[in-house]
């Protein structure tokens, strides 16, 4: 019975990973017109160009979210960020840290009403 439960867990985890990858592939195709398999197998110079396109698409998505535009999709935003991290990892580039979090590693935020 233990082997059956382990197989069921493995199957569920594999299906969840495949669904996440399909989301990333679809988001990249819709936002940038780029195939993920092509991007991962591309030459380093081409990969850097594709990373620039994805970075710009991610920035546009971030701006849509900040403006509360009706076309903003949080799932697309997350998928684009994950794809960009995958490409950076494949290129050997360390992932960027958020500047706001780097400045305040404990997550503390300054309140507006406390400023003079």
């Amino acid at each position: 019975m233990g082997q059956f439960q382990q197989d069921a867990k493995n199957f569920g985890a594999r299906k969840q990973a495949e669904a996440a990858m399909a989301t990333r592939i679809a988001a990249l195709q819709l936002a940038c017109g780029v195939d993920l398999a092509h991007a991962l197998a591309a030459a380093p110079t081409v990969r850097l160009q594709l990373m620039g396109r994805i970075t710009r698409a991610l920035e546009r998505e971030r701006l849509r979210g900040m403006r509360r535009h009706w076309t903003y999709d949080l799932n697309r935003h997350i998928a684009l960020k994950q794809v960009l991290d995958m490409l950076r990892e494949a290129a050997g580039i360390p992932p960027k840290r958020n500047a706001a979090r780097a400045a305040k590693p404990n997550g503390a935020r300054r309140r507006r009403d406390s400023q003079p």
Side-chain angles (χ1 to χ4, degrees):
M1 187 70 174
Q3 181 64 28
F4 180 73
Q5 290 174 344
Q6 185 63 31
D7 288 343
K9 283 183 183 179
N10 290 342
F11 178 78
R14 190 173 63 244
K15 284 298 183 181
Q16 190 174 14
E18 288 173 1
M21 184 59 79
T23 302
R24 292 180 195 133
I25 290 170
L28 186 60
Q29 184 67 37
L30 291 172
C32 301
V34 176
D35 182 33
L36 183 58
H38 174 263
L40 289 172
T45 56
V46 175
R47 189 179 303 142
L48 287 175
Q49 290 174 348
L50 292 173
M51 286 171 54
R53 286 176 59 186
I54 295 168
T55 302
R56 180 62 189 137
L58 185 61
E59 181 63 27
R60 285 193 314 259
E61 196 66 30
R62 186 175 293 124
L63 290 173
R64 278 190 207 116
M66 294 295 291
R67 294 180 181 143
R68 298 183 185 265
H69 197 270
W70 66 273
T71 60
Y72 174 70
D73 184 13
L74 179 62
N75 291 325
R76 181 173 51 230
H77 190 152
I78 292 170
L80 285 172
K81 175 69 171 119
Q82 290 172 344
V83 166
L84 186 60
D85 288 344
M86 284 175 59
L87 287 174
R88 281 187 177 141
E89 183 180 319
I93 301 171
K96 288 188 177 180
R97 288 182 47 148
N98 189 346
R101 290 187 185 176
K104 298 179 183 176
N106 63 352
R109 295 183 182 199
R110 187 175 5 162
R111 295 182 61 179
R112 290 181 186 234
D113 57 356
S114 66
Q115 294 178 356

